Amino acid sequence: MYKILSLDGGGSWAIIQLLTLKDRYGNLTGHQVLQKFDLVIANSGGSIVLAALAENWTLEKALTLFDNKDIRESIFSENTYRDSFFPVDYLRLFKIPFGPKYSSKQKKDSFEKLFKEVNKRQMSELPAFIKKESLKIVVCTYDALNNRAKFFKSYGVDSEDYDSVRLTQAIHGSSNAPVQYFDFPARFKAKNSEIYYELWDGALGGFNNPILAGLIEAFKLGVPLKDIKLVSIGTGNKLMSLKEKNNFWKWKQIAIKKRRKKLDFKFLKPQAKFFKVTVLNQAKTILYQPPDTANYIAMMFLKMVSEKAINEHIVRLSPLIHSDSSTSEDVVPLINKLYALDMDITKEEEIQCLMECFDMWQNGEILNQPLEFKVKRDNDIVFINGNKYYKDGMDTWISWGF
């Protein structure tokens, strides 16, 4: 059995990953958790969780990354007007929420202060520090200078092109979401190199959900795919609500009909909303990167190789943020709040929404994101493969014995 842990990106929503790990393992230390796996791959928010585990924080302490206001705000440190660059400085001065608002440098400094033991070591030294020499660690980033995905690994040190970096550097690149979030690429160079990297979030390379990359890494290491057991923990998969779909259609029709009537000011607001939905939200899509495709390909790949049932290989645990005709009316208000939350959650009441989301997901009131499903035209979900409920996925994981 070859055990892989895959951790999605998702900013502060990664608290859901820690709550899931705590539900499975109680208050174990990070090293005790990592020792249960053979390969761990992570992106963005999930990479921050990985760093806390590598630092050997208990799972209870690791939760402070997101439920402690001071730590949250040290990672998501807002730029002042003086520190912003044109045109973001003027747009945000006039309350136009477009462009990056957080300091990449402050995030880097925060990671180095939070993860002091990890920051002393190169990634290649971490397996020995964790007391599992065979452990493989992978962090996903995106190389802004070469426009391609870039993985940093704890292994492959004998290769001529191996990039020896610290985990704090790797997670700085991995969590460096552009467009609406961090201002500049993460800049650093590998040990014994004079060439600097300029890095963005690994989601830009298509690895916000790194499940498929984890499988490929195991395959490259010579692991028989039929032996793989993969636990993939997400940070919540948002689908569009029926109300949002109706608004999209309404605003689109107004934009089409009124685009030549430049002085018809009462219709400017819905046109602006349509612009925001189609431009700003689509710019974020590369970061949200709904993980359905990666899950589906991984599922089909393993099914083809082993010819075993899907649950023999993959457990996918991630709340499905969606309401349809089957959703309890008691849950709808929370789901509506969750729809409105971005990745960069810093307010206490927003974190409490995520904690409540976990509780309802754990209790089956919010559904689990399956490996394969369809969304009908009336917005109802049809489940095809995978676990519909958190408990089913967790029970399978427990039955695997790690």
Side-chain angles (χ1 to χ4, degrees):
M1 184 190 302
Y2 192 84
K3 298 160 285 186
I4 300 176
L5 175 63
S6 174
L7 299 170
D8 286 20
S12 300
W13 287 69
I15 193 172
I16 288 171
Q17 295 173 336
L18 286 167
L19 291 166
T20 304
L21 289 169
K22 190 168 184 297
D23 183 43
R24 176 68 183 93
Y25 295 124
N27 197 30
L28 292 185
T29 66
H31 287 187
Q32 289 173 316
V33 172
L34 291 174
Q35 287 165 10
K36 295 178 181 296
F37 295 90
D38 299 298
L39 186 149
V40 181
I41 185 166
N43 182 62
S44 197
S47 76
I48 302 174
V49 170
L50 169 59
L53 299 178
E55 186 71 8
N56 206 27
W57 287 6
T58 64
L59 290 170
E60 188 69 45
K61 182 177 179 181
L63 285 168
T64 63
L65 284 168
F66 306 108
D67 69 11
N68 180 292
K69 182 175 182 290
D70 292 336
I71 295 178
R72 281 198 311 272
E73 292 183 351
S74 74
I75 296 172
F76 294 101
S77 177
E78 288 202 38
N79 282 322
T80 62
Y81 167 76
R82 182 179 180 182
D83 290 330
S84 299
F85 59 89
F86 180 83
V88 179
D89 44 7
Y90 289 103
L91 290 172
R92 291 202 174 272
L93 181 65
F94 292 103
K95 307 299 181 184
I96 300 173
F98 191 85
K101 56 183 173 179
Y102 300 114
S103 167
S104 177
K105 181 182 183 303
Q106 291 299 323
K107 174 165 64 72
K108 167 187 170 292
D109 293 344
S110 177
F111 288 157
E112 291 176 354
K113 290 175 184 175
L114 287 167
F115 308 123
K116 293 179 181 177
E117 291 301 316
V118 165
N119 194 49
K120 294 177 185 176
R121 296 168 169 84
Q122 300 299 106
M123 282 184 67
S124 59
E125 299 172 310
L126 290 179
F129 177 57
I130 293 165
K131 295 183 174 57
K132 184 170 183 176
E133 294 276 5
S134 63
L135 178 66
K136 305 293 189 291
I137 298 171
V138 186
V139 175
C140 309
T141 70
Y142 184 80
D143 183 345
L145 298 181
N146 293 303
N147 291 326
R148 59 180 305 193
K150 171 65 183 173
F151 294 172
F152 290 101
K153 307 173 187 179
S154 65
Y155 54 97
V157 291
D158 296 330
S159 170
E160 289 184 5
D161 61 353
Y162 176 72
D163 302 300
S164 182
V165 302
R166 301 187 303 277
L167 185 60
T168 45
Q169 293 174 311
I171 69 167
H172 176 38
S174 185
S175 61
N176 210 44
V179 186
Q180 283 294 95
Y181 305 102
F182 290 97
D183 50 6
F184 298 108
R187 179 179 171 84
F188 59 82
K189 56 186 178 182
K191 187 179 180 181
N192 300 325
S193 171
E194 295 305 316
I195 300 173
Y196 280 89
Y197 286 109
E198 300 279 351
L199 299 167
W200 290 120
D201 191 305
L204 273 70
F207 296 103
N208 197 48
N209 174 3
I211 182 174
L212 195 55
L215 277 179
I216 298 301
E217 285 299 312
F219 179 74
K220 287 165 61 180
L221 289 165
V223 177
L225 296 182
K226 61 183 177 58
D227 294 341
I228 286 176
K229 302 287 188 185
L230 200 156
V231 177
S232 170
I233 309 179
T235 55
N237 182 208
K238 287 185 188 179
L239 302 182
M240 189 178 281
S241 69
L242 194 57
K243 180 180 178 181
E244 288 174 315
K245 290 178 179 179
N246 290 335
N247 282 338
F248 180 88
W249 168 253
K250 179 176 68 177
W251 298 335
K252 175 189 171 185
Q253 293 307 109
I254 291 172
I256 290 171
K257 292 176 181 178
K258 302 296 180 180
R259 57 185 162 173
R260 292 190 175 91
K261 297 184 178 181
K262 307 301 183 185
L263 299 179
D264 204 343
F265 297 118
K266 65 181 178 180
F267 290 106
L268 293 182
K269 188 173 181 180
Q271 291 184 67
K273 286 182 176 180
F274 179 70
F275 176 82
K276 180 180 177 182
V277 168
T278 55
V279 176
L280 187 57
N281 283 9
Q282 293 308 311
K284 292 181 182 181
T285 297
I286 52 175
L287 300 172
Y288 293 139
Q289 195 240 326
D292 311 331
T293 302
N295 289 335
Y296 180 76
I297 295 173
M299 175 190 76
M300 296 305 294
F301 192 39
L302 288 174
K303 185 177 181 180
M304 176 187 68
V305 170
S306 71
E307 298 183 349
K308 293 181 180 179
I310 298 307
N311 285 355
E312 292 279 331
H313 286 294
I314 301 174
V315 166
R316 172 66 177 175
L317 289 170
S318 188
L320 187 64
I321 311 304
H322 180 72
S323 60
D324 59 22
S325 61
S326 66
T327 307
S328 167
E329 291 184 5
D330 295 335
V331 181
V332 171
L334 175 64
I335 290 179
N336 288 338
K337 288 181 183 178
L338 293 169
Y339 272 135
L341 295 183
D342 208 337
M343 295 191 306
D344 54 329
I345 293 170
T346 55
K347 295 179 181 177
E348 201 66 39
E349 60 269 24
E350 294 172 335
I351 292 294
Q352 289 305 311
C353 278
L354 295 185
M355 303 282 271
E356 191 177 348
C357 170
F358 176 80
D359 289 340
M360 288 193 170
W361 175 46
Q362 185 184 37
N363 294 333
E365 296 171 274
I366 288 178
L367 299 178
N368 185 57
Q369 181 212 355
L371 296 168
E372 183 182 8
F373 66 97
K374 292 182 180 179
V375 184
K376 296 171 66 177
R377 301 301 297 172
D378 62 2
N379 223 37
D380 281 358
I381 295 291
V382 178
F383 287 79
I384 302 172
N385 275 306
N387 298 118
K388 186 174 182 178
Y389 298 103
Y390 173 93
K391 184 179 183 303
D392 297 334
M394 182 58 72
D395 286 347
T396 299
W397 183 3
I398 291 170
S399 74
W400 287 350
F402 64 88

